[in-house]
Amino acid sequence: MSYHLIDVLERLGTPRILVVGDLILDRYVWGDAERISQEAPVILLREERQDTRLGGAANVARMLVGLDATVDLAGVIGADLDGRELSLGLQNSGIGTRAVFPDPSRPTTTKIRFMGRAQYRHPHQMLRVDREVRTPLPPSFADQILRAIRPRLSDYSAILVSDYAKGVCTPELLRLLIMAARQAGLPIVVDPAPGADYRHYQGATGVTPNRSETGKAVGREIRTVADALSAANTLVERFDLELVFVTLDRDGIVLGRRGTEPVHLPTRPREVCDITGAGDMVLATIGVGLAAGVDPVDLCRLANVAGGLEVEQIGVVPISRHDLLQDLLHGVRAGREKVCRLDEVARQVSARRKAGQKIVLTNGCFDLLHAGHVQYLEQAAREGDCLIVALNSDASVRRLRKGPDRPLFDQEHRARMLAALEAVDYVVIFEEDTPHAVLRALKPDVLVKGGTYRDEEIVGREVVLEYGGRVKALGVTPGLSTTEIVRRLRACESPVSLPRPERKAA
């Protein structure tokens, strides 16, 4: 599934997204925690440094920027130093703040985390201090936010609501915002506050509650995946939702959909360093995907990867598309995924180039896959980071006059055999007599060919050299060729064997 998700990632585009919710400043105090205070039996933290990060709805916005979205933010901050620091962080991140207003009656919501390290090990959170006011926004501020949002709704591809129960997401603001989004045909997804009344989210496109929040919303504990599947159905039906994404930490995500049975999308195990920000990362990934029209099942798979990468970090760290790509490139590759259309491979190659990978391509009929092919393809793979095999179609093989009964195996069988090899990353079938069209579309860094060719005899050489690529002949395994193997089989001769490698002296 990793190859398919790479393709999904390449089709996300650069949507413009509105984030509404509670803005938080996360302050981290890092230090050494090896001593015990002489004043009381408590750990003494010797401060080494401080840093601040965007939190809450501001963190969702920052995560979206990391996913190459253009983002505007709506909410309030205090008229204080923390508010100025938060505003500066938003500006430095390229986040639009025309709908962010100062409220002199409340402080900027700030979470101060004390991070202690002992014996040179990874730091851990020792204490968190919150500075906040949770009273609902006065109606005047809610009106001000709505007046700033409404004229620009047509600019957005999606709206995300990050409700941390700090007073911004009032029932009236949510009702009017959801109504405006539906009238504009925009998907609107809410990350609900713990213990929230889900009637306030009624009519939204979707919600992203975690295990605990889901249990409180439906009035029963979510212990198993089956519990989550049932709860997702309940939320969809009870609150007029199209989608419910129940995040289950190590168990992945359960997706509830209106009119369809809920499904469970598992995730692979991760080394959990810090769960802070994982929910925001999942919300941001879902927002970008919905804006791009990605299927909800694929959204869950991509969100699993993004959330998994986030929990491997210490503190809130934005996960970029590059991070997602690198993780997907190292995922398990299923053989059936490797056989792709040319346009699909082109998108995959584009993604791999962004990751700095070197692309190698070879082509041929591969009519009867044998040990010589395997050795040659393994050698070709060592020329770069990604090996593409351009495979002649059945019609193309016949035009090459390989014989009246060739190919022995049809193109689907030949492609599946090649895709089963670990050395091969992609197989693309082409109909033409030459691989020229494939080479122009993919522009591999290296074109290789096995057999008794010299570099100047390799078909497609002029195409590759024209754009600055390299051509290399890899030779042939002695005593092995498809034509010779077919001849021996028909003559019922003895089995073909590879020359034994010489043993090195001990």
Side-chain angles (χ1 to χ4, degrees):
M1 187 52 66
S2 61
Y3 276 19
H4 174 64
L5 290 183
I6 292 171
D7 200 41
V8 170
L9 197 63
E10 283 299 288
R11 291 186 282 111
L12 289 181
T14 54
R16 191 177 195 96
I17 296 176
L18 173 66
V19 180
V20 182
D22 298 295
L23 280 61
I24 299 172
L25 182 69
D26 286 328
R27 190 180 301 280
Y28 289 82
V29 179
W30 306 84
D32 190 292
E34 289 189 339
R35 294 174 54 198
I36 301 296
S37 171
Q38 295 178 349
E39 302 171 358
V42 295
I43 295 173
L44 178 66
L45 181 67
R46 180 171 56 83
E47 181 181 331
E48 295 174 344
R49 62 184 174 90
Q50 288 193 26
D51 63 56
T52 56
R53 303 176 189 180
L54 303 177
N59 182 48
V60 175
R62 178 66 188 90
M63 298 288 191
L64 285 165
V65 170
L67 294 172
D68 297 342
T70 302
V71 188
D72 289 333
L73 188 59
V76 299
I77 57 175
D80 51 22
L81 290 175
D82 287 336
R84 291 182 203 170
E85 191 165 2
L86 200 157
S87 294
L88 182 61
L90 293 172
Q91 293 170 21
N92 291 339
S93 298
I95 297 166
T97 57
R98 277 187 280 188
V100 176
F101 302 103
D103 180 359
S105 70
R106 65 176 67 218
T108 300
T109 301
T110 305
K111 297 180 180 180
I112 307 169
R113 295 177 175 88
F114 294 88
M115 309 294 292
R117 185 191 68 254
Q119 297 180 357
Y120 304 101
R121 290 196 293 266
H122 287 301
H124 292 278
Q125 188 174 155
M126 299 167 55
L127 175 68
R128 194 182 90 186
V129 178
D130 291 357
R131 182 162 55 245
E132 63 185 19
V133 170
R134 297 187 179 186
T135 54
L137 274 184
S140 59
F141 271 98
D143 291 341
Q144 196 173 4
I145 290 173
L146 285 168
R147 284 198 303 272
I149 290 171
R150 277 193 176 123
R152 305 187 65 201
L153 281 181
S154 61
D155 295 341
Y156 303 113
S157 301
I159 300 175
L160 301 182
V161 178
S162 179
D163 188 357
Y164 273 78
K166 309 301 181 187
V168 170
C169 299
T170 62
E172 185 65 7
L173 176 63
L174 289 169
R175 183 182 68 81
L176 294 173
L177 186 62
I178 291 170
M179 186 186 305
R182 294 188 74 155
Q183 289 172 350
L186 291 175
I188 178 168
V189 180
V190 183
D191 186 6
D197 185 345
Y198 278 51
R199 288 175 297 181
H200 300 155
Y201 309 135
Q202 188 147 353
T205 305
V207 292
T208 62
N210 60 28
R211 190 190 299 264
S212 173
E213 292 163 350
T214 302
K216 292 175 182 176
V218 298
R220 57 183 183 273
E221 194 172 358
I222 308 300
R223 294 183 179 178
T224 65
V225 169
D227 293 337
L229 291 166
S230 174
N233 253 348
T234 300
L235 291 176
V236 167
E237 294 169 3
R238 188 179 294 174
F239 301 107
D240 187 26
L241 301 167
E242 294 178 29
L243 301 167
V244 172
F245 304 88
V246 180
T247 57
L248 300 172
D249 41 78
R250 65 183 180 277
D251 291 323
I253 296 176
V254 159
L255 170 65
R257 293 173 288 182
R258 183 186 295 168
T260 306
E261 286 298 307
V263 293
H264 173 227
L265 289 309
T267 188
R268 65 182 174 87
R270 301 272 184 171
E271 183 179 350
V272 178
C273 293
D274 189 348
I275 64 169
T276 307
D280 292 343
M281 190 67 238
V282 167
L283 177 63
T285 306
I286 288 171
V288 170
L290 281 179
V294 175
D295 180 82
V297 171
D298 287 334
L299 268 183
C300 289
R301 294 186 174 116
L302 206 56
N304 271 333
V305 176
L309 288 172
E310 183 63 36
V311 301
E312 290 180 336
Q313 313 299 316
I314 297 292
V316 178
V317 178
I319 303 300
S320 68
R321 287 195 193 181
H322 179 78
D323 297 326
L324 291 171
L325 175 61
Q326 292 282 19
D327 192 79
L328 292 172
L329 287 174
H330 288 92
V332 177
R333 303 174 298 172
R336 63 183 178 276
E337 284 190 274
K338 296 181 183 181
V339 183
C340 302
R341 300 191 313 269
L342 182 57
D343 62 317
E344 293 172 331
V345 179
R347 287 194 294 269
Q348 299 266 335
V349 166
S350 172
R352 287 176 177 271
R353 283 209 166 96
K354 292 173 186 174
Q357 291 198 355
K358 183 179 180 182
I359 309 301
V360 182
L361 184 141
T362 190
N363 63 282
C365 302
F366 296 95
D367 192 8
L368 183 61
L369 197 63
H370 54 69
H373 289 137
V374 174
Q375 288 188 7
Y376 153 60
L377 291 171
E378 289 174 344
Q379 186 181 355
R382 290 194 289 270
E383 294 292 322
D385 305 295
C386 168
L387 175 61
I388 302 167
V389 178
L391 181 67
N392 290 83
S393 69
D394 294 344
S396 177
V397 172
R398 285 189 287 269
R399 287 196 301 271
L400 290 173
R401 298 178 183 174
K402 289 285 186 178
D405 54 354
R406 300 283 293 274
L408 299 171
F409 297 97
D410 65 35
Q411 60 196 41
E412 285 76 19
H413 283 90
R414 290 183 286 128
R416 286 176 61 187
M417 289 292 289
L418 287 165
L421 298 177
E422 184 179 359
V424 175
D425 292 286
Y426 300 97
V427 180
V428 58
I429 300 169
F430 67 97
E431 296 288 342
E432 301 80 12
D433 292 344
T434 71
H436 289 177
V438 175
L439 293 171
R440 290 190 180 100
L442 302 181
K443 291 183 170 59
D445 300 286
V446 187
L447 170 64
V448 300
K449 189 71 175 174
T452 56
Y453 297 94
R454 296 191 301 271
D455 287 0
E456 60 270 20
E457 295 175 331
I458 294 176
V459 176
R461 175 178 181 272
E462 67 280 9
V463 176
V464 176
L465 295 180
E466 184 181 350
Y467 64 73
R470 189 164 60 90
V471 178
K472 184 174 183 180
L474 296 182
V476 65
T477 302
L480 282 176
S481 76
T482 302
T483 301
E484 179 63 16
I485 291 172
V486 171
R487 187 193 69 75
R488 291 190 182 191
L489 289 172
R490 285 173 176 161
C492 297
E493 293 184 8
S494 58
V496 179
S497 60
L498 275 174
R500 292 182 178 275
E502 293 183 4
R503 290 180 177 271
K504 291 185 178 180

